[in-house]
Amino acid sequence: MMSDDHAYQAISAYSNHLIETPNIDRIANEGVKFTNACVSNSICAPSRATILTGKHTHIHGKVDNVFPFDESQMTFPQLMQKAGYQTAMFGKLHFGNNPKGIDEFKILPGQGQYYNPDFNTNDGRITVEGYVTDIIMDMTLNWLKNDRKEDKPFMLFSMQKAPHREWLPAPRHFKEYTKKTFVEPATLFDDYEGRGTAAKTAEMNLLTHMNWAGDSKLYPEMMAELGIKDMSGWDLEAFEREVGRMNKEQRAVWDSVYRPMMEDFKKKYPSMNKTELMKWRYQRYMQDYLGCIASVDENVGRLLDYLEETKLDENTIIIYTSDQGFYLGEHGWFDKRFVYDESFKTPLLIKWPNVIKPGTTNTEMVQNLDFAQTILEAAHIVPPSDMQGESLIPLLLGNNEEWTRDAVYYHYYEYPGIHMVKRHYAIITQEYKLAHFYYDVDEWELYDRKNDVNEMNNVINDPAYAEVVVKLKQQLVDLRKEYGDSSELDQEILRKYLEAKNNPDIETVPLH
């Protein structure tokens, strides 16, 4: 099971300061919770391609949402299928409409919609009435009940769109969550004084960069009345695309909750200062984002219940993860992309009865790069020699001493682009994080992960860390070489990216 942009901070197995997720927590309680699970590139389609191939993004080609996936790459579902596994995928893939190695699929085109979504299937496109999170789990359970062949092992992907932007909870949750107030992060009003240019120039601030209509759900006509402009150029379109997708009955219920709330805001807006507006936008964000999570958790429970009722859980590995983390107001931000922890780290919970000791917590540096080899080894399938991850099986068995990795490699490419997070690559250990921001800057950042958990102070020039910097820079050189990355490749990818961005004939995946 994988959700989209599900921050680990929004899973109560990690922290219950925002929401309780009792069903997702069941996986942690009955299996293992990884607290240093992370991604190699914090953006949706590249992360998913890394999961499928077990390779870094510069190898499989999907370095961002502009570059195409290298279709010649082998994916682990292909190997599972070849080994006799029945395979199925329901939900959001984000790239490609005909996934390799999948027998049956129903996939949201692109980002998909929350209400009455379209799906690309083996038999063409369909539209399904209802709420997307429920629909995806309906499809998942229907396959298990009616299409699974009991004489074959299976590999099943249940991949939620939620809680991806623009956040639209189900009616049963927006009625509840719009009345809730959530604790603010300590860094909501971060001024980035301790960071470099990249943090100061990113366009992810809740007050100044989040859409008013599409994100905060302020009605377009109210924006006009208040003189609030569509700064992104696609704010009003986003509102129409998402809220406009509802049928009359759904829209009537939505209006009954959101219109009075927005009418109240319209009255208060002229007298609100920036601090008050920031606080209001944070609460609006959390109400919708966490309302989406509530449906995800309920549907995880539906699947877990079915597996237990049928005893399938006794011989099934269950994995819950996200394609990356997400900012929930930390540093004043939403979205992802940075190597800073909120977007770099991702939830990873695995249940494997009679193999994983229930209630285990693991702190090793594991990565989405490792998922393919782990699943293949569990299925006794030899992985291709060019996969770049490391199987998690020793950690799942409790044999931590067999784990060989002490650092992971990260590389983000999509700049200049939406949110304007600069290109950077990094090496991360349990103790430190060293990142190099490049292209239109040349800046290094070092964070002490043990003593500066909020990553507020770049200590790259602190004499006390001089030896650490020398050591990590050499390790970073070695890691880039090991994974086939280089400065020359950085420049080649940049050149192609700028060409694609300036070519209207090149079709790209929507970036927002």
Side-chain angles (χ1 to χ4, degrees):
M1 290 179 281
M2 185 166 76
S3 295
D4 194 306
D5 293 343
H6 192 173
Y8 62 91
Q9 313 94 286
I11 294 177
S12 48
Y14 289 95
S15 172
N16 64 355
H17 75 288
L18 288 174
I19 190 173
E20 295 288 343
T21 52
N23 294 298
I24 297 173
D25 292 358
R26 286 162 63 182
I27 304 173
N29 296 336
E30 298 169 15
V32 59
K33 172 181 67 178
F34 286 92
T35 58
N36 263 317
C38 60
V39 296
S40 63
N41 184 350
S42 185
I43 185 171
C44 300
S47 175
R48 294 161 187 270
T50 289
I51 289 171
L52 290 172
T53 62
K55 297 176 184 178
H56 277 283
T57 54
H58 64 275
I59 300 295
H60 61 60
K62 200 87 187 87
V63 298
D64 51 35
N65 284 340
V66 175
F67 277 73
F69 176 63
D70 178 0
E71 292 290 345
S72 70
Q73 294 288 331
M74 178 66 68
T75 67
F76 80 85
Q78 289 176 275
L79 298 171
M80 302 282 283
Q81 187 184 55
K82 185 178 179 181
Y85 276 74
Q86 188 181 5
T87 59
M89 179 182 289
F90 305 106
K92 182 177 177 182
L93 178 60
H94 196 190
F95 67 95
N97 295 328
N98 190 7
K100 298 190 298 183
I102 303 298
D103 298 325
E104 181 179 346
F105 61 86
K106 292 182 173 68
I107 295 171
L108 296 164
Q111 300 287 9
Q113 293 94 18
Y114 276 103
Y115 281 82
N116 311 319
D118 296 329
F119 288 86
N120 293 318
T121 77
N122 302 70
D123 302 316
R125 182 166 291 196
I126 61 172
T127 301
V128 184
E129 288 283 309
Y131 185 65
V132 68
T133 307
D134 301 332
I135 292 168
I136 290 169
M137 190 53 68
D138 289 345
M139 292 173 170
T140 301
L141 291 171
N142 179 69
W143 186 87
L144 282 168
K145 294 174 182 177
N146 301 312
D147 298 320
R148 182 179 70 87
K149 298 175 182 177
E150 295 188 8
D151 61 340
K152 296 185 71 172
F154 67 89
M155 174 80 219
L156 173 60
F157 295 82
S158 186
M159 304 169 76
Q160 294 293 354
K161 167 188 170 60
H164 192 278
R165 189 186 190 187
E166 289 77 7
W167 310 279
L168 280 176
R172 64 184 182 274
H173 293 304
F174 64 61
K175 290 182 179 181
E176 172 190 0
Y177 275 76
T178 52
K179 295 180 174 63
K180 289 180 178 285
T181 300
F182 300 94
V183 61
E184 295 173 358
T187 59
L188 180 62
F189 293 94
D190 191 352
D191 62 5
Y192 319 115
E193 185 63 30
R195 260 65 50 77
T197 303
K200 294 181 176 72
T201 58
E203 297 178 356
M204 308 195 312
N205 186 270
L206 295 179
L207 178 58
T208 55
H209 301 120
M210 182 175 273
N211 282 337
W212 282 95
D215 294 331
S216 293
K217 311 304 188 298
L218 182 62
Y219 287 76
E221 66 270 21
M222 293 184 186
M223 282 181 62
E225 291 174 41
L226 295 172
I228 298 174
K229 292 183 171 56
D230 179 347
M231 299 303 292
S232 69
W234 46 269
D235 186 359
L236 303 182
E237 180 270 329
F239 184 93
E240 269 312 308
R241 183 185 66 241
E242 299 302 328
V243 178
R245 186 82 182 184
M246 298 176 181
N247 60 35
K248 288 184 178 180
E249 292 77 15
Q250 293 163 341
R251 181 63 185 264
V253 176
W254 194 84
D255 282 335
S256 72
V257 174
Y258 280 80
R259 186 167 287 281
M261 183 168 54
M262 294 305 156
E263 291 286 359
D264 180 67
F265 172 74
K266 188 175 73 169
K267 294 175 185 175
K268 295 177 180 178
Y269 175 79
S271 63
M272 294 173 75
N273 59 36
K274 288 184 178 181
T275 298
E276 292 168 333
L277 285 170
M278 181 67 150
K279 288 174 173 285
W280 183 86
R281 300 208 77 180
Y282 170 73
Q283 294 300 333
R284 271 286 45 252
Y285 174 31
M286 287 299 93
Q287 289 164 356
D288 287 347
Y289 179 95
L290 295 170
C292 291
I293 297 293
S295 293
V296 172
D297 186 69
E298 286 176 346
N299 280 287
V300 168
R302 291 176 64 198
L303 181 55
L304 295 179
D305 288 347
Y306 176 79
L307 294 175
E308 290 174 7
E309 290 164 6
T310 57
K311 306 298 183 183
L312 275 172
D313 67 308
E314 297 174 3
N315 191 33
T316 301
I317 300 173
I318 300 169
I319 301 171
Y320 185 88
T321 189
S322 175
D323 48 1
Q324 68 266 315
F326 213 67
Y327 292 98
L328 305 184
E330 299 89 358
H331 309 296
W333 289 336
F334 66 106
D335 208 69
K336 54 245 183 186
R337 301 166 197 270
F338 272 114
V339 74
Y340 307 137
D341 269 4
E342 289 83 5
S343 50
F344 165 69
K345 289 171 63 173
T346 193
L348 178 60
L349 310 169
I350 305 177
K351 175 187 173 185
W352 190 355
N354 303 313
V355 176
I356 298 174
K357 182 181 178 182
T360 299
T361 297
N362 190 284
T363 62
E364 296 291 346
M365 299 298 301
V366 305
Q367 209 164 23
N368 58 353
L369 188 71
D370 305 322
F371 294 0
Q373 280 150 287
T374 302
I375 293 168
L376 290 173
E377 182 175 340
H380 302 286
I381 299 170
V382 177
S385 58
D386 61 349
M387 281 188 173
Q388 296 180 304
E390 183 173 349
S391 170
L392 304 179
I393 295 297
L395 301 181
L396 302 184
L397 296 174
N399 301 327
N400 290 17
E401 67 281 357
E402 296 180 19
W403 184 251
T404 64
R405 179 195 294 143
D406 60 3
V408 296
Y409 180 60
Y410 180 91
H411 202 152
Y412 174 78
Y413 296 88
E414 195 174 277
Y415 176 88
I418 188 171
H419 300 304
M420 297 301 281
V421 173
K422 293 186 183 297
R423 292 169 180 254
H424 58 291
Y425 54 85
I427 181 172
I428 306 94
T429 68
Q430 291 195 44
E431 294 79 22
Y432 300 106
K433 181 177 296 181
L434 177 73
H436 180 217
F437 292 84
Y438 68 96
Y439 171 38
D440 58 353
V441 293
D442 182 8
E443 296 180 3
W444 289 84
E445 296 184 9
L446 175 69
Y447 296 94
D448 186 327
R449 301 186 73 208
K450 299 291 187 182
N451 297 310
D452 180 18
V453 294
N454 290 327
E455 297 175 312
M456 299 291 284
N457 299 299
N458 174 20
V459 294
I460 192 70
N461 295 318
D462 187 333
Y465 292 89
E467 291 184 10
V468 172
V469 172
V470 171
K471 179 182 177 182
L472 286 176
K473 281 189 174 181
Q474 184 56 56
Q475 280 186 270
L476 181 54
V477 169
D478 295 341
L479 266 185
R480 277 166 66 81
K481 184 175 180 180
E482 175 185 343
Y483 289 128
D485 207 359
S486 66
S487 296
E488 293 76 18
L489 186 55
D490 297 345
Q491 294 305 310
E492 177 64 12
I493 290 173
L494 172 61
R495 182 186 65 79
K496 290 181 178 179
Y497 176 84
L498 295 175
E499 287 179 358
K501 290 284 287 182
N502 294 323
N503 188 341
D505 296 326
I506 295 179
E507 182 178 355
T508 63
V509 177
L511 300 183
H512 55 273

